[in-house]
Amino acid sequence: MEVEKLEKRLKLNKIVLSVLLILLLIILIVVLVKCTSVKNLISNNDSNMGMATSGDNYTFYYKYNSGLVKIKDGKEYQIVDGQAYSIQYDKEYVYYTTPNNNGGIDIKKASQNGDTNEVLISVNSELTKMYLSDGFLYYTTSNPNTISKINVNNKEQSTVLTRAILDFKVLDGIIYFIDDMRYLYQLDVNGENYKTIEENPIAKKFQMLDNEIYFYDEENQKLMKINLKNKKKSEVTDKLNCDVYNVTSNGIYYLDNNDMKICCVDLKNKKSKEIISVSTANTKINVIGNVIYYLDLDNDSYVTKRISIKGKKVDEVKY
């Protein structure tokens, strides 16, 4: 009798232990998925003035009207003074654009510790946006209107396309762009394989994620997308009411221009949640990992602030 009771107890303990191990495994998988998704988060910071980027366990961000800051092991180091937009990082160097005294922009190359900081080229351009791809920086010029590129090592320059450009993006060897008539095209970085993506005008700006192009339909106040494979156009959400947004693999972060709040729309259930209130409609939303860097007003002056993607406080940007 006692032996039977003992056997039953052992069987019960085994069942309980198995259930606990399964629950522990599920929890571990969920944690790993969350950590991986945040670490490998894809964002469209480039469409928000490119005020923050990351790489090799570093974060670089523009502290408004102060300079370019590097975060390493939780510590912050200002490596460059002045304005810094469209920040790009590759190995030893940080590339960025800054307005110059001639009404154009300087494209600069700085060592990640700030020891060197040189102007690669000065151009007349209405866009501060640029892209780093395979050793070249791609940028736009005005008068003449072009998409051009410069070799970051020997500074050799060449024109890829002569066209008036409202917005563009370089991704996986392809340049996507909207011309001054708001039509959407693509071509290879060598200037070949020119194609029309959308037959009708869409918007002044666009963003990209997972082989889809996102744009804000100003007339209907909806965020739309175009699938690059089948060219089908579809609605993403009607939560947006302006073109300040950042499409990421973790959700769509956007400015609610009516309530002056930064919010997030979940890509799956389309539900929206408030993250933080802001004091200016001129904010820019940059997402790095689980942190949002955004522009706000403080005593009538623009400053860079940050908050977690969950709306929780993080270390303040100190001025």
Side-chain angles (χ1 to χ4, degrees), residues 96-122:
Y96 65 98
T97 62
T98 188
N100 59 33
N101 294 327
N102 298 319
I105 61 170
D106 291 337
I107 296 177
K108 290 191 169 186
K109 173 183 179 181
S111 59
Q112 62 162 286
N113 57 14
D115 289 344
T116 62
N117 187 17
E118 64 173 317
V119 177
L120 293 178
I121 188 173
S122 298

Side-chain angles (χ1 to χ4, degrees), residues 52-62 68-79 89 94 112 288 291 293 306 314-317:
T53 193
S54 62
D56 294 341
N57 296 317
Y58 302 134
T59 293
F60 298 89
Y61 75 92
Y62 171 42
L68 179 58
V69 175
K70 177 177 78 172
I71 304 176
K72 179 183 178 182
D73 299 328
K75 296 182 180 179
E76 300 200 358
Y77 310 86
Q78 184 163 321
I79 59 173
Y89 170 71
V94 184
Q112 62 162 286
I288 300 292
V291 178
Y293 291 82
R306 60 188 166 206
V314 295
D315 291 339
E316 292 184 3
V317 176

Side-chain angles (χ1 to χ4, degrees), residues 249-304:
S249 53
N250 193 51
I252 300 168
Y253 298 86
Y254 67 96
L255 171 68
D256 183 332
N257 203 21
N258 295 327
D259 294 334
M260 296 301 291
K261 296 174 181 177
I262 292 176
C263 304
C264 180
V265 172
D266 189 284
L267 289 171
K268 293 180 179 179
N269 60 31
K270 309 300 182 184
K271 291 183 179 179
S272 178
K273 63 178 180 180
E274 176 190 340
I275 295 175
I276 189 72
S277 295
V278 293
S279 301
T280 176
N282 291 324
T283 189
K284 303 298 176 185
I285 304 169
N286 289 249
V287 186
I288 300 292
N290 61 357
V291 178
I292 299 171
Y293 291 82
Y294 64 99
L295 203 59
D296 203 0
L297 279 175
D298 192 359
N299 296 322
D300 295 326
S301 297
Y302 283 107
V303 293
T304 301

Side-chain angles (χ1 to χ4, degrees), residues 81-223:
D81 294 331
Q83 299 182 63
Y85 302 105
S86 198
I87 305 168
Q88 317 269 313
Y89 170 71
D90 181 38
K91 297 178 182 178
E92 301 176 30
Y93 296 99
V94 184
Y95 304 88
Y96 65 98
T97 62
T98 188
N100 59 33
N101 294 327
N102 298 319
I105 61 170
D106 291 337
I107 296 177
K108 290 191 169 186
K109 173 183 179 181
S111 59
Q112 62 162 286
N113 57 14
D115 289 344
T116 62
N117 187 17
E118 64 173 317
V119 177
L120 293 178
I121 188 173
S122 298
V123 298
N124 290 321
S125 178
E126 295 180 5
L127 295 177
T128 58
K129 180 183 282 191
M130 68 173 181
Y131 291 94
L132 177 65
S133 179
D134 295 328
F136 288 89
L137 285 169
Y138 293 80
Y139 57 92
T140 63
T141 67
S142 304
N143 298 319
N145 298 313
T146 72
I147 295 178
S148 298
K149 63 182 179 180
I150 182 171
N151 187 301
V152 297
N153 296 311
N154 60 28
K155 300 184 183 180
E156 288 185 0
Q157 308 159 37
S158 59
T159 298
V160 180
L161 176 71
T162 301
R163 192 74 166 269
I165 304 297
L166 293 180
D167 196 12
F168 80 111
K169 189 179 186 79
V170 180
L171 185 65
D172 298 330
I174 298 176
I175 300 174
Y176 302 88
F177 70 92
I178 290 178
D179 68 2
D180 57 347
M181 300 300 291
R182 301 191 182 188
Y183 287 94
L184 180 63
Y185 304 90
Q186 72 176 66
L187 77 162
D188 295 344
V189 291
N190 58 11
E192 299 177 352
N193 296 320
Y194 186 97
K195 298 177 183 178
T196 301
I197 297 175
E198 171 58 40
E199 298 291 343
N200 299 306
I202 56 170
K204 294 180 180 178
K205 309 177 194 176
F206 70 98
Q207 298 184 22
M208 295 185 67
L209 180 70
D210 295 338
N211 213 37
E212 293 180 315
I213 288 180
Y214 292 75
F215 64 94
Y216 178 64
D217 182 341
E218 189 173 356
E219 182 179 351
N220 297 303
Q221 293 195 331
K222 294 179 180 180
L223 186 67

